[in-house]
Amino acid sequence: VGPTTKSNFHAALSICAVFRILSAASLSLNVLFADTIRAFALVDNPTDEQGWGILLSTLLLAMWGFFGIWSLHMLGHDMSTFFSGVIVSSIMVGLLSQAVIKDVFGAVSLVLNRPFRVGDFVTVAIASKSYEGNVLSIGFRCTVLRLLNCGQTLYVPNSELSHASIINWYEIPERRLVEWLYIDPQTPRANVEAFREALRIRTSAVQDAWFTSATLWEVGADALKIKFIFRCICREPMPRSTNDLHKRVRNAVNLGVLDAARDAGVKFVPPLASRVFLTGPTRDGEAAELAVDRTG
């Protein structure tokens, strides 16, 4: 057996070994892709799932393309000219698609860090603006939010979102909640104190709730204003979302407030009405004070 035959035999063995490795890698990438899509809740949007599929197919195509070129090189073919052309083309494509590459890397960063998932309610601060809304979908180029304001749809490039400040309101292990309670100003002092104590007892009896304070904050001719503060605490390992926990605790505490008012013999009254003045333009372009009624 000549040296050339031995060299070709070793090259063939190397190609077979690399082929098996790449086959296993391709299978693993497909499984990882499917698991990531489901875990990151992208399956609700078929368009985004198709976009992620195109990205995966492109990566696999590039991987197998380089494998084919390397195989020809191992078998003795001169691929230097081809490699030079590929390098130059890659540089040109990279320069022309910088925005796309940034968005793709931003999407990868979101997948790895998982600051939110589809359905979460988030506050996103980008540059000098802040947006609040629910996450509708997470694509490999942009993330779609349904804004709280008027239901507008906001498309945020992943390259910007990966560097933005994000608050996920569905992943809060402890929430501090403040409620203002207005009771009849003719309520006797003993009943007010009994109401405050009843709030403490009723709130402490609610699972995952922590009583902080109940303070007679303001005294007025129309109402007595009590500032009621409590916390919703996730005592167990934090679930997928604490939103349901927050709703359950808040509902139970508010029912306890009604029971506390009945126990203490106090009566609720409508919130205080105040009158504020806003400065606004008239038809003549001059500023004028506009009276607006405000409650609370």
Side-chain angles (χ1 to χ4, degrees):
V1 180
T4 303
T5 305
K6 289 183 178 180
S7 177
N8 290 338
F9 179 74
H10 288 302
L13 287 179
S14 299
I15 293 173
C16 290
V18 174
F19 176 80
R20 289 180 62 87
I21 294 174
L22 291 182
S23 298
S26 299
L27 181 61
S28 300
L29 283 175
N30 280 287
V31 173
L32 180 62
F33 165 77
D35 291 343
T36 302
I37 289 295
R38 291 181 176 86
F40 211 53
L42 293 180
V43 292
D44 294 337
N45 194 322
T47 302
D48 286 321
E49 185 175 1
Q50 183 181 7
W52 284 99
I54 293 174
L55 177 62
L56 177 64
S57 300
T58 302
L59 293 176
L60 293 176
L61 181 63
M63 182 179 70
W64 285 109
F66 280 110
F67 170 73
I69 297 171
W70 174 80
S71 300
L72 292 175
H73 172 72
M74 291 294 295
L75 293 174
H77 295 276
D78 185 12
M79 305 298 294
S80 57
T81 304
F82 183 80
F83 275 122
S84 300
V86 169
I87 293 173
V88 173
S89 300
S90 300
I91 294 175
M92 293 180 63
V93 171
L95 292 175
L96 294 175
S97 58
Q98 291 185 25
V100 177
I101 295 175
K102 288 181 180 179
D103 291 335
V104 171
F105 277 102
V108 173
S109 176
L110 293 175
V111 170
L112 295 177
N113 295 325
R114 292 195 178 187
F116 52 77
R117 299 183 185 184
V118 171
D120 288 355
F121 183 80
V122 297
T123 299
V124 179
I126 302 176
S128 60
K129 293 186 177 181
S130 180
Y131 304 95
E132 290 185 339
N134 289 94
V135 180
L136 294 183
S137 63
I138 305 169
F140 73 94
R141 283 219 58 188
C142 68
T143 296
V144 184
L145 303 178
R146 177 75 69 190
L147 298 185
L148 178 65
N149 186 15
C150 295
Q152 307 98 319
T153 301
L154 178 66
Y155 296 84
V156 185
N158 290 328
S159 57
E160 296 184 10
L161 198 58
S162 61
H163 295 89
S165 299
I166 302 172
I167 300 176
N168 190 336
W169 296 99
Y170 279 13
E171 295 182 357
I172 305 178
E174 179 176 337
R175 300 193 189 203
R176 179 179 181 271
L177 304 171
V178 179
E179 293 186 359
W180 294 98
L181 307 175
Y182 300 88
I183 62 177
D184 190 343
Q186 302 301 323
T187 304
R189 176 174 178 175
N191 293 58
V192 174
E193 293 299 323
F195 181 50
R196 294 176 59 241
E197 179 63 17
L199 286 175
R200 183 188 67 80
I201 295 174
R202 293 286 183 176
T203 305
S204 301
V206 176
Q207 183 182 3
D208 299 320
W210 183 269
F211 175 82
T212 301
S213 65
T215 309
L216 180 57
W217 201 256
E218 291 182 7
V219 176
D222 297 328
L224 302 180
K225 188 175 181 181
I226 293 180
K227 187 177 183 180
F228 175 42
I229 304 175
F230 64 96
R231 283 179 164 81
C232 172
I233 301 176
C234 182
R235 306 181 191 275
E236 303 295 333
M238 195 168 70
R240 158 71 181 83
S241 170
T242 58
N243 189 50
D244 292 336
L245 173 67
H246 165 242
K247 292 179 179 179
R248 176 179 62 79
V249 170
R250 190 154 199 169
N251 182 75
V253 169
N254 285 331
L255 291 176
V257 170
L258 297 177
D259 293 336
R262 186 187 64 247
D263 296 342
V266 300
K267 179 182 178 182
F268 292 112
V269 296
L272 297 175
S274 60
R275 200 165 181 80
V276 297
F277 292 91
L278 304 178
T279 302
T282 62
R283 293 183 177 179
D284 299 330
E286 299 178 355
E289 288 189 339
L290 307 177
V292 179
D293 288 328
R294 184 183 64 182
T295 60

